[in-house]
Amino acid sequence: PVAVNDQQRYFLDRLIKKLGLDPATCLAYADPNKNAPGVTPGNAEALGMAMAQVQRECGFKPKSENLNYSAKRLRQVFPSRVRSDAFAQRLANAGPAAIGNTLYGNRYGNAQNEGYKYRGRGLIQLTFKDNYERYGKLAGKPEVVANPDLANDPEVATELAIAYLNSKSITWSGTNFNSLGNEFAKAVGYAAKNVETPKRVALGKGFAAQIVAGELTPLASLTTDPAGTNTKAEPIPPVDTFKQDVKGPR
């Protein structure tokens, strides 16, 4: 496993390079009023907010989405897709694979039995076959479609997360943390934005302060096995998929 601080620093390095930012200036605040006199404005606010997204999604530890829901949580988290207590209990009893296929099957490129296969993974919790195809291609890692568990490899996960964020409408020279928070909320699409976004803004401010102070510096490479071999493929368990007429978004 990769140390969290190394993963953070490597993500920062790859993000700077992917965005084409000037490494000599980007680690300063974009707001000139926050910098010492004579310091060229940089991109610390947006870089910090990007790191906050990954911190909240997985703590900079690439991982697979935990679909081991109780019946109660299924009803709370997926009310438009699990619309009765009885169905929720049947689904919970069937286990994570059945839950994944029921919630994510026949959506965004997934076949009915591919919901669990293309569940959330990596640093940004990439979900659905269409997204594995799109961001795998953008990241130069098309092999994640055939072997989605590669999305949990530290280097592959970094490239996928950065490709994802780079495809969104983010003001990378932004100076206002709240405005950036709203942009990232739209880009990442997490739930309960009114509660979650302030938490991510607070984290973003903290990461930005560390970047400006030189406490969080870019790391050009990770000490790992070759990219794509740092994760063990997870077997897909037997599945009993339940069908239910559902409507509306997750």
Side-chain angles (χ1 to χ4, degrees), residues 209-233:
Q210 291 180 59
I211 290 169
V212 171
E215 298 168 2
L216 189 60
T217 57
L219 181 66
S221 63
L222 292 174
T223 302
T224 65
D225 296 324
T229 64
N230 296 297
T231 184
K232 183 182 291 185

Side-chain angles (χ1 to χ4, degrees), residues 118-131:
Y118 294 107
R119 66 196 183 280
R121 287 186 183 83
L123 293 178
I124 205 70
Q125 292 298 284
L126 195 66
T127 311
F128 297 113
K129 188 175 184 178
D130 280 355
N131 285 332

Side-chain angles (χ1 to χ4, degrees), residues 44-61:
E45 291 92 336
L47 293 173
M49 286 302 300
M51 297 193 70
Q53 309 312 306
V54 178
Q55 182 65 36
R56 288 296 291 175
E57 292 294 322
C58 69
F60 279 92
K61 297 178 181 179

Side-chain angles (χ1 to χ4, degrees), residues 2-109:
V2 174
V4 168
N5 183 251
D6 285 352
Q7 183 72 71
Q8 291 174 337
R9 294 174 62 205
Y10 181 69
F11 175 85
L12 179 61
D13 180 84
R14 295 301 301 152
L15 181 61
I16 289 169
K17 290 174 179 174
K18 183 69 174 181
L19 296 174
L21 302 180
D22 184 348
T25 62
C26 69
L27 302 182
Y29 282 115
D31 183 349
N33 297 316
K34 294 180 180 178
N35 294 321
V39 173
T40 301
N43 310 87
E45 291 92 336
L47 293 173
M49 286 302 300
M51 297 193 70
Q53 309 312 306
V54 178
Q55 182 65 36
R56 288 296 291 175
E57 292 294 322
C58 69
F60 279 92
K61 297 178 181 179
K63 63 182 180 180
S64 297
E65 181 180 5
N66 180 5
L67 290 171
N68 189 26
Y69 286 99
S70 68
K72 181 178 180 181
R73 281 298 290 164
L74 282 169
R75 291 281 283 143
Q76 291 174 339
V77 179
F78 306 99
S80 65
R81 296 197 166 272
V82 182
R83 298 186 297 164
S84 74
D85 291 343
F87 181 71
Q89 191 60 62
R90 288 178 62 206
L91 202 52
N93 291 344
I99 291 172
N101 286 349
T102 301
L103 296 176
Y104 299 151
N106 290 326
R107 300 175 65 197
Y108 301 103

